[in-house]
Amino acid sequence: MGLNIRQAPTAANRALNLLRTVQYTHPPNCPCHASPGHYQPTPSILNHAKRSLATPVDSSRKREYAFEMAASSIRFGPGCTKEVGMDFKNMGSKRVCVVTDKTVGKLDAMHQVVEGLTREGVEFTIYDGTRVEPKDSSIKDAINFSKNYGPDAFLAVGGGSVIDTAKLMNLYTNFPNADFLDFVNAPLGKGLPITKALYPLIAVPTTAGTGSETTGTAIFDLVAKKAKTGIAHRALKPTLGICDPLNTRTMPSAVHASTGLDVLCHSLESWTAIPYQTRTPRPENPINRPAYQGANPISDIFSLQALRATVKYLPRAAKDPEDHEAQSEMLLAATLAGVGFGNAGVHLCHGMSYPISGQNPGYKHAGYVTDKPIIPHGVSVAVTAPAVFRFTAASNPERHLAAAEIFGVDTSSVKRESAGEVLAEALSNFLVELGDQPRGLKALGFGGGDIDGLVEGTLPQKRVLMLAPGLSEEVNEEKEQLRGLFEDALTY
């Protein structure tokens, strides 16, 4: 779905109607629409839209003037996994590559998938070599497997690592002669656009966190650079996400908690990202418009609802394995957040998380069945959250206070300049009460001597750093700001 508010009058009227709906269905105190501060320089989103529709584009301006919304089709409901065989038969698929990992391969979700494909007579093969927190080497092994099989469709059954791996298998199977770095996000890769449609991909998430079933983003470790990176393009998004709450009941409590923290940061980062029309440079061709565009009034709706649900249901889902209502609500929250951040983007928590996980000094998170050190992705993003939102609040105090209210804070008498401290404290309390979370980078094994390496590992994450409010574009100043953030994140 695309929305360009500079279209013909009929489309313009539709856009204005949508914007009126967004504006007037928000609570009166919604800072996005009640405050003039977020979407500068106009007094409201609606007035900005009217002005944009009436005023020719200033060709000398390099700022963005449009945003696009793209998300996968979503099917949500307990038991809907069994329909996947019919889906591929309906699409006319002849050879399906099923992507999973060895743990998920033993679960009921995979049994349902195999039965459904077999029942409908759809040919398939299974790749179960996906690794948690994939590296470029494991991604390349998976790509070679799919190239040799020659599928015309993909099915991912698992968490974000599985779904992301399937996305990249699909991409490079369709571009068999491409160099691996051709599509990887700049500056680590060439960041080339994807110029044709890929094969159908159906994603069946078994965790409630990444929202990868809705997005065009795939993340992995680029080992040689000691950095996490990925590929982001709308063409990568799954054709369909099958969100079956029954599939998340097998998650251990520790996984419920860490994946839920990813939802928390997806929501907060996309809600507080720079406004889409302040992003520069504006693309010369819409094919180059990034997937991560900045906060916009449609993503806002999804991000805020996901945040409300996470604050309410994550503590329940993490503490009670039999609380199926909370688990179902967290799966829905992950999907909602995926739509939100998949178009608005994330910023500092995620940008800083990549070197945290990539430079792990040996930490192994409790509750994860592995012999190797691991900092789960949700843990690596949440550990800096209090420091990050203390820093970003000055750019838009109203939005940060609105987030603090969702955590139960009475902000009626809070001064705007205190918004960062208030939200940071609310986040810290939430993380502590969730239990079994490292209270800062020191608890992960990092010290002051590691900060320079963490800063250097963050700098290449340009596609998310550019969306961070308050972060300098001047390299030396940006380094100092990041150094200060990592120092602030050592403990909370």
Side-chain angles (χ1 to χ4, degrees):
M1 176 176 68
L3 174 61
N4 186 326
I5 60 176
R6 298 189 47 77
Q7 293 174 349
T10 300
N13 290 336
R14 291 199 298 269
L16 284 173
N17 288 336
L18 174 60
L19 289 166
R20 287 191 184 97
T21 302
V22 171
Q23 186 177 38
Y24 296 116
T25 55
H26 270 283
N29 65 345
C30 173
C32 178
H33 303 98
S35 166
H38 191 79
Y39 289 95
Q40 295 287 352
T42 56
S44 71
I45 294 296
L46 187 59
N47 287 341
H48 175 75
K50 290 177 178 177
R51 183 181 297 183
S52 296
L53 290 163
T55 307
V57 178
D58 178 0
S59 60
S60 67
R61 286 183 69 214
K62 297 301 182 184
R63 290 186 177 184
E64 183 60 276
Y65 59 81
F67 67 93
E68 297 184 21
M69 292 296 294
S72 307
S73 295
I74 296 296
R75 181 180 301 145
F76 189 99
C80 62
T81 306
K82 64 178 177 289
E83 298 177 352
V84 71
M86 291 181 278
D87 289 316
F88 282 112
K89 186 174 182 179
N90 292 340
M91 290 188 291
S93 301
K94 304 298 182 185
R95 289 168 64 85
V96 177
C97 183
V98 180
V99 185
T100 189
D101 61 39
K102 289 181 171 56
T103 299
V104 176
K106 302 172 185 176
L107 302 180
D108 188 60
M110 270 298 292
H111 298 159
Q112 293 281 332
V113 161
V114 170
E115 288 179 8
L117 292 170
T118 303
R119 184 169 56 247
E120 299 301 326
V122 178
E123 179 189 330
F124 67 94
T125 191
I126 297 173
Y127 176 79
D128 65 359
T130 304
R131 60 167 290 163
V132 177
E133 305 292 342
K135 301 183 183 298
D136 50 350
S137 57
S138 69
I139 296 291
K140 290 175 182 177
D141 288 342
I143 292 168
N144 288 334
F145 179 94
S146 64
K147 283 182 179 179
N148 290 333
Y149 179 62
D152 63 1
F154 288 83
L155 171 60
V157 186
S161 297
V162 168
I163 299 172
D164 286 3
T165 299
K167 290 175 182 177
L168 299 180
M169 294 167 75
N170 193 5
L171 173 62
Y172 288 100
T173 299
N174 277 276
F175 289 87
N177 298 319
D179 182 79
F180 184 71
L181 292 178
D182 281 353
F183 301 106
V184 173
N185 299 320
L188 294 173
K190 296 178 183 177
L192 298 180
I194 300 171
T195 53
K196 65 180 181 181
L198 307 183
Y199 293 138
L201 164 62
I202 295 178
V204 182
T206 58
T207 61
T210 67
S212 188
E213 66 275 7
T214 75
T215 74
T217 302
I219 302 297
F220 57 88
D221 283 315
L222 195 59
V223 176
K225 300 291 185 180
K226 296 183 178 180
K228 238 183 175 60
T229 184
I231 299 175
H233 194 279
R234 293 176 187 83
L236 286 181
K237 64 182 174 62
T239 310
L240 172 66
I242 294 181
C243 300
D244 184 341
L246 298 181
N247 293 336
T248 65
R249 293 186 180 181
T250 54
M251 280 198 296
S253 294
V255 180
H256 271 297
S258 62
T259 57
L261 291 176
D262 199 18
V263 182
L264 181 79
C265 290
H266 284 158
S267 305
L268 277 170
E269 289 173 76
S270 55
W271 169 244
T272 57
I274 63 169
Y276 75 91
Q277 68 269 57
T278 65
R279 195 189 72 251
T280 58
R282 182 175 65 242
E284 296 295 330
N285 187 308
I287 196 174
N288 294 318
R289 182 165 281 121
Y292 287 3
Q293 302 163 86
N296 63 76
I298 299 181
S299 285
D300 287 345
I301 297 171
F302 287 89
S303 298
L304 273 186
Q305 182 56 34
L307 180 60
R308 292 187 188 100
T310 301
V311 170
K312 181 177 181 179
Y313 292 108
L314 178 56
R316 286 173 47 182
K319 291 178 181 178
D320 184 359
E322 300 303 315
D323 192 338
H324 300 316
E325 178 193 19
Q327 294 167 9
S328 178
E329 292 291 340
M330 280 307 302
L331 178 59
L332 182 58
T335 301
L336 291 170
V339 176
F341 91 84
N343 292 282
V346 290
H347 53 79
L348 282 165
C349 291
H350 274 75
M352 296 167 67
S353 78
Y354 299 143
I356 290 172
S357 58
Q359 299 174 29
N360 183 0
Y363 176 85
K364 179 183 174 184
H365 195 62
Y368 274 68
V369 183
T370 176
D371 296 329
K372 299 179 181 179
I374 184 171
I375 303 174
H377 176 62
V379 172
S380 70
V381 294
V383 75
T384 64
V388 163
F389 294 104
R390 183 182 292 113
F391 169 81
T392 58
S395 68
N396 194 318
E398 290 84 4
R399 288 211 161 206
H400 289 69
L401 289 174
E405 286 181 353
I406 291 174
F407 285 92
V409 178
D410 179 1
T411 63
S412 57
S413 60
V414 175
K415 295 180 180 179
R416 295 171 78 255
E417 56 267 29
S418 300
E421 287 297 334
V422 167
L423 181 55
E425 183 178 359
L427 275 166
S428 298
N429 291 338
F430 182 83
L431 294 171
V432 169
E433 291 170 9
L434 191 63
D436 297 323
Q437 298 304 313
R439 298 188 186 184
L441 294 174
K442 282 187 176 179
L444 297 176
F446 291 100
D450 299 309
I451 288 178
D452 284 345
L454 293 171
V455 170
E456 291 302 319
T458 304
L459 289 172
Q461 311 302 329
K462 297 300 182 185
R463 73 185 182 93
V464 294
L465 295 184
M466 68 181 292
L467 298 173
L471 195 65
S472 175
E473 295 181 6
E474 198 279 317
V475 175
N476 288 332
E477 184 176 352
E478 180 186 33
K479 284 184 177 180
E480 288 306 310
Q481 288 175 320
L482 290 172
R483 185 173 287 108
L485 283 165
F486 278 115
E487 289 173 350
D488 194 17
L490 285 172
T491 58
Y492 66 79

